[in-house]
Structures are given as C-alpha cells and as structure tokens.
Amino acid sequence: TQLLEQSPQFLSIQEGENLTVYCNSSSVFSSLQWYRQEPGEGPVLLVTVVTGGEVKKLKRLTFQFGDARKDSSLHITAAQPGDTGLYLCAGVWGSQGNLIFGKGTKLSVKP
Amino acid sequence: NAGVMQNPRHLVRRRGQEARLRCSPMKGHSHVYWYRQLPEEGLKFMVYLQKENIIDESGMPKERFSAEFPKEGPSILRIQQVVRGDSAAYFCASSPHKNTEAFFGQGTRLTVV
C-alpha cells in the first residue's frame, strides 16, 4: 500500500504550458515536502508545507497544502525544458519519524 | 545537496560479493536515512539511523543487509552476498533533527553482474 499517491505518473508537455501534479493520502501528515530529481542525481528539496491551506511560491512553482493536510499540489506556470525531472512528494510518517516518498511524477517539457 | 557525500558513485560487484556503501552526512546532522531506487520508480525507505542507533529498519530486508552509523565516521550500508536483484541506486539523506527536512547525497549506483 502506497501511503502517498502521486498523479499523474508521467506528463509530457510543450514549453510554455501550465501543469499541476498531485500528491494524495488518506492519512494526515504534519508536513509534506516536494523534491525534484534529475537523472543520475539525488533529490533536491524544493519546499516544505506545514500549515493546512498553506500556499508557497517559488518563482513559477506554486505549492499548496490541503486544508486537511492529507494532500498537496504543485502547479508550474509556463513550463520550461529546465523543469524536466522527477517530482517527488514526501512526508514524515509514524512515531519513528521515517520520511516516506510517493512514486513521483516524471515531467518532460519539450522545447 | 552537495553537503551529503556518498561514495562510491558507482559500484560493480559480482554475485556473491559484498557491497559497502558509505554516507557522510552534512555537518551537524545526526539523523541519516537510506533509500533504494529502481529505474523509473520513487524512493523506497530502507533504514533510519541516529548516531550509534538504528531507529527504524522496517524497510530493510532481514537477510544480507545491515546498516550502521558509528560515533565517528560515515554511515555504512552493507549488502552481503549480493544478487542481481540488488542492482539499484542507493541514496542517503541526512537531517539535523527528527521530523525535519532531509538533504540527499548523489547516490551510489550498484550493479551486480
């Protein structure tokens, strides 16, 4: 059972288009993190959302945490080829504090 | 990202050999996580360690795999008697405290031939 479900799994768009990817769970998380991973590299942290309903912006990227803290979305405006990569959401789970990941959305932006 | 150092970046082992993967966390970080990633897939949690202690190893196979994070030196993920199915990218992440943001190394790509 996957605690964090990400959709879509794959997304291929043209440069300049907008897109939204989702991270959903039936469980409540105290916070969710978004990472971007490029081929052959480790994931790089983009943002952490903590408060239900919170919206954070990072240039053309907008992150939102659901009111119930069970889901999050990432919206990219005017996508560029440099946005290509695997977008992963992650959350702290359990009393031990494990950081668990969704399977990711693989984004390809064509020039 | 560059603060967490993993080595080697690439490791080739024959079936039955041992693989030792090293992770030096960022300075001041005492929490280390190990993950495994297969091509086109997300990161699968393996083990969470704090200095000298294994906090949670629920994601690690019970046989052939072990991990440690000694008081001095890097964290080590050890795979004994490797099999082809162990081929994957292994990533280490560190954080300064429990339940805070984690920073990743560049991974070790293990190939078992």
Side-chain angles (χ1 to χ4, degrees), chain A residues 37 41 48 95-96 98-99, chain B residues 35 48 56 98 101 106:
Chain A
Q37 184 181 23
E41 300 294 329
T48 301
S95 58
Q96 309 278 31
N98 302 344
L99 184 63
Chain B
Y35 295 86
Y48 165 31
D56 187 338
K98 182 180 174 180
E101 297 155 344
Q106 292 184 297

Side-chain angles (χ1 to χ4, degrees), chain A residues 28-86:
Chain A
V28 175
F29 284 86
S30 57
S31 65
L32 282 178
Q33 302 169 22
W34 284 92
Y35 292 79
R36 187 165 81 100
Q37 184 181 23
E38 296 187 36
E41 300 294 329
V44 175
L45 180 67
L46 296 174
V47 80
T48 301
V49 285
V50 179
T51 307
E54 180 178 8
V55 176
K56 280 192 174 178
K57 293 198 173 191
L58 188 66
K59 296 183 181 177
R60 294 176 293 100
L61 278 59
T62 302
F63 304 85
Q64 186 161 7
F65 200 11
D67 290 340
R69 292 186 290 128
K70 292 182 178 182
D71 54 83
S72 182
S73 64
L74 160 58
H75 181 80
I76 302 179
T77 304
Q80 298 176 2
D83 295 328
T84 293
L86 179 67

Side-chain angles (χ1 to χ4, degrees), chain A residues 9-10 31 33 35 37 39-45 47-48 86 88 92 95-104 106, chain B residues 1 9 33 35 37 40-45 47-48 55-56 58 91 93 98-107 109:
Chain A
Q9 190 175 355
F10 299 98
S31 65
Q33 302 169 22
Y35 292 79
Q37 184 181 23
E41 300 294 329
V44 175
L45 180 67
V47 80
T48 301
L86 179 67
L88 297 156
V92 175
S95 58
Q96 309 278 31
N98 302 344
L99 184 63
I100 61 165
F101 283 79
K103 289 190 175 182
K106 188 171 183 180
Chain B
N1 195 21
R9 288 291 307 273
Y33 307 81
Y35 295 86
Q37 186 177 40
E40 307 296 327
E41 291 194 10
L43 293 157
K44 185 183 174 195
F45 167 78
V47 62
Y48 165 31
I55 306 301
D56 187 338
S58 60
F91 288 95
K98 182 180 174 180
N99 298 346
T100 57
E101 297 155 344
F103 297 87
F104 280 81
Q106 292 184 297
R109 276 140 194 89

Side-chain angles (χ1 to χ4, degrees), chain B:
Chain B
N1 195 21
V4 177
M5 303 301 295
Q6 288 189 251
N7 67 81
R9 288 291 307 273
H10 300 274
L11 182 60
V12 179
R13 283 288 178 265
R14 294 187 186 279
R15 280 179 296 169
Q17 290 185 319
E18 178 180 287
R20 290 171 71 89
L21 288 61
R22 294 175 184 76
C23 169
S24 296
M26 287 180 71
K27 188 176 180 180
H29 288 196
S30 59
H31 298 253
V32 165
Y33 307 81
W34 283 93
Y35 295 86
R36 174 182 149 123
Q37 186 177 40
L38 294 172
E40 307 296 327
E41 291 194 10
L43 293 157
K44 185 183 174 195
F45 167 78
M46 296 183 73
V47 62
Y48 165 31
L49 309 104
Q50 194 181 357
K51 276 291 185 182
E52 299 184 90
N53 292 305
I54 295 175
I55 306 301
D56 187 338
E57 56 183 348
S58 60
M60 204 150 69
K62 294 197 181 336
E63 296 181 353
R64 303 189 297 109
F65 284 71
S66 62
E68 62 177 14
F69 188 15
K71 188 177 180 181
E72 301 290 338
S75 175
I76 305 286
L77 178 66
R78 183 180 175 209
I79 311 173
Q80 295 178 290
Q81 299 174 321
V82 295
V83 300
R84 289 230 171 99
D86 295 334
S87 296
Y90 291 85
F91 288 95
C92 161
S94 74
S95 65
H97 307 291
K98 182 180 174 180
N99 298 346
T100 57
E101 297 155 344
F103 297 87
F104 280 81
Q106 292 184 297
T108 293
R109 276 140 194 89
L110 172 65
T111 303
V112 180
V113 297

